[in-house]
Amino acid sequence: MNSIDVLILNFKEVRRRSIKLWTSIPQEKLLWKPDNEAMSCIEMIRHVLESEHYYHQAIKNKGSLANYESPFENLPYTTVEAELLLAAPYRLEFMETVQSFAHEDLTSIQIDRSDVGYIRDLGDMLLRIAYHESVHTGQLLDYLRTAQVTIPNIWD
């Protein structure tokens, strides 16, 4: 298994576990949030999916985007399944892009996001994307625990 294969496996595993958690949220709890400043469960799910799309565009651009038009913008929140369907073609494109990289690209391609405080190698940026989703999965686990919702075993 090479470095790109490991990255692909990590992205698939992170998403598999996220989906296991997301689809366990009862419909009546999707708009639940721990306080008025927090994202709701479904807002956080969309945030993860939309962020992956943004990061993919930033990777292709080799830096932050001056003008980003999100395909998720102004769409109503409905169901987890609807969010996943909306994101599916963007996820496929993202995974194809990751698969297209060579091992050497992970250190030779720089992603310039100095506008938000960093410039990183492609490999670092890809790991940050998976980490971002993982952090939000942890937040949602806490949300569900606080909302007294049964939590699925994502540690299978």
Side-chain angles (χ1 to χ4, degrees), residues 41-106:
C41 294
I42 199 157
E43 287 172 328
M44 193 176 302
I45 292 166
R46 180 171 294 172
H47 168 74
V48 167
L49 298 171
E50 186 172 27
S51 294
E52 182 177 82
H53 180 263
Y54 175 86
Y55 290 139
H56 180 210
Q57 301 310 306
I59 286 168
K60 292 192 315 187
N61 190 53
K62 294 190 172 90
S64 295
L65 306 170
N67 298 308
Y68 172 67
E69 291 187 31
S70 171
F72 299 82
E73 192 78 27
N74 299 320
L75 294 177
Y77 296 104
T78 57
T79 65
V80 171
E81 292 75 15
E83 295 294 316
L84 290 169
L85 279 173
L86 174 62
Y90 306 113
R91 172 69 173 191
L92 181 61
E93 289 175 16
F94 172 65
M95 296 296 278
E96 287 172 349
T97 297
V98 175
Q99 189 68 52
S100 74
F101 291 121
H103 172 77
E104 299 74 29
D105 294 334
L106 299 176

Side-chain angles (χ1 to χ4, degrees), residues 8-62:
I8 293 290
L9 176 61
N10 189 50
F11 279 120
K12 286 180 178 179
E13 276 300 295
V14 168
R15 182 56 53 87
R16 181 183 68 81
R17 291 164 195 260
S18 293
I19 289 172
K20 191 171 185 178
L21 178 64
W22 298 345
T23 57
S24 77
I25 303 169
Q27 185 70 26
E28 67 273 10
K29 294 290 187 181
L30 286 175
L31 295 175
W32 188 90
K33 55 187 179 178
D35 60 64
N36 289 335
E37 302 300 314
M39 288 185 269
S40 69
C41 294
I42 199 157
E43 287 172 328
M44 193 176 302
I45 292 166
R46 180 171 294 172
H47 168 74
V48 167
L49 298 171
E50 186 172 27
S51 294
E52 182 177 82
H53 180 263
Y54 175 86
Y55 290 139
H56 180 210
Q57 301 310 306
I59 286 168
K60 292 192 315 187
N61 190 53
K62 294 190 172 90

